[in-house]
């Protein structure tokens, strides 16, 4: 199975609207960054380029109040800022970096191992290199398999809608990829 990565693409155009930014690439894939609140960006990496979202079975209301933000094209990246967050979307070799408004790194980039993409079977993936002090919480409900530990550091999470697994303790058919 072949992995396809967003870092194989470059930004060709940035469209900034009232509550989101769309990143067009030199291929079919697109990124949409919803500015949900001063402290929440929702990233949608769509390898089909359609940006057509089906109704969510897990989120009742996906309407967010408009949040003041600014977007600009810098030399190396598109910069999106709110009062609390900054997102850098690098132009060449698309990758994302997250910062607080006072420029503190939210996800470690020391080794710059980060990726998001899709496989030929249309599954999507994301991975990050984490600093020793960083942890992931969330990414599914099957907590029995982790003996009560909500920290997912060091684990691989396969989140497949309607998954049918013969092993493990999956407690939900609708994964919510929030972390």
């Amino acid at each position: 199975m072949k992995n396809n990565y967003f870092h194989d693409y470059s930004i060709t155009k940035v469209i900034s609207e009232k509550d989101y930014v769309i990143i067009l690439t030199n291929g079919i894939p697109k990124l949409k960054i919803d500015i949900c609140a001063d402290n929440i960006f929702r990233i949608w990496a769509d390898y089909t380029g359609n940006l057509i979202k089906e109704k969510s079975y897990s989120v009742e209301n996906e309407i967010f109040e408009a949040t003041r933000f600014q977007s600009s094209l810098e030399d190396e990246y598109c910069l999106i800022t709110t009062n609390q967050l900054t997102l850098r979307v690098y132009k060449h070799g698309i990758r994302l970096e997250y910062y607080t408004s006072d420029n503190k790194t939210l996800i470690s980039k020391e080794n710059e191992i980060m990726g998001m993409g899709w496989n030929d079977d249309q599954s999507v993936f994301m991975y990050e290199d984490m600093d020793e002090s960083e942890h992931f919480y969330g990414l599914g409900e099957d907590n029995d398999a982790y003996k009560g530990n909500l920290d997912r550091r060091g684990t691989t999470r396969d989140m497949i809608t309607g998954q049918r697994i013969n092993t493990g303790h999956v407690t939900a058919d609708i994964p919510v990829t929030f972390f």
Side-chain angles (χ1 to χ4, degrees):
M1 185 179 323
K2 181 181 177 222
N3 289 342
N4 304 282
Y5 296 92
F6 271 85
H7 64 244
D8 292 333
Y9 294 88
S10 296
I11 294 175
T12 58
K13 186 174 182 180
V14 176
I15 302 168
S16 186
E17 294 292 337
K18 182 175 114 174
D19 55 356
Y20 63 87
V21 174
I22 293 179
I23 308 284
L24 303 181
T25 70
N26 60 338
I28 295 172
K30 293 178 184 171
L31 289 175
K32 182 179 181 194
I33 296 99
D34 289 308
I35 293 78
C36 303
D38 275 345
N39 60 350
I40 300 173
F41 290 138
R42 180 170 62 180
I43 311 299
W44 180 4
D46 187 348
Y47 61 89
T48 69
N50 294 326
L51 295 176
I52 297 171
K53 187 156 180 359
E54 294 181 25
K55 183 182 182 314
S56 173
Y57 293 106
S58 56
V59 179
E60 186 175 315
N61 181 5
E62 291 191 76
I63 298 170
F64 306 99
E65 288 187 32
T67 299
R68 293 177 57 101
F69 74 95
Q70 295 175 331
S71 67
S72 62
L73 278 174
E74 307 297 322
D75 289 340
E76 295 182 32
Y77 47 78
C78 170
L79 186 66
I80 302 169
T81 59
T82 69
N83 288 335
Q84 295 182 33
L85 292 177
T86 297
L87 174 65
R88 294 179 187 170
V89 184
Y90 280 82
K91 290 180 181 178
H92 305 289
I94 294 176
R95 71 180 194 279
L96 309 176
E97 290 184 353
Y98 310 88
Y99 298 89
T100 62
S101 60
D102 58 352
N103 214 28
K104 291 182 183 170
T105 304
L106 286 174
I107 297 178
S108 176
K109 292 292 173 227
E110 257 180 50
N111 298 321
E112 296 207 15
I113 298 175
M114 180 273 183
M116 59 184 176
W118 64 98
N119 296 311
D120 291 337
D121 68 357
Q122 299 180 359
S123 61
V124 294
F125 61 84
M126 179 183 163
Y127 60 89
E128 293 275 350
D129 187 35
M130 297 170 58
D131 183 85
E132 287 182 18
S133 65
E134 294 176 316
H135 298 270
F136 271 111
Y137 297 92
L139 299 175
E141 294 182 4
D142 55 344
N143 198 30
D144 288 343
Y146 295 94
K147 298 179 178 37
N149 186 2
L150 296 176
D151 187 354
R152 304 302 191 210
R153 183 181 177 86
T155 66
T156 298
R157 304 294 294 159
D158 291 329
M159 304 186 82
I160 304 165
T161 300
Q163 60 192 9
R164 303 290 183 261
I165 297 178
N166 295 328
T167 61
H169 302 283
V170 178
T171 58
D173 284 341
I174 303 169
V176 180
T177 54
F178 175 83
F179 61 90

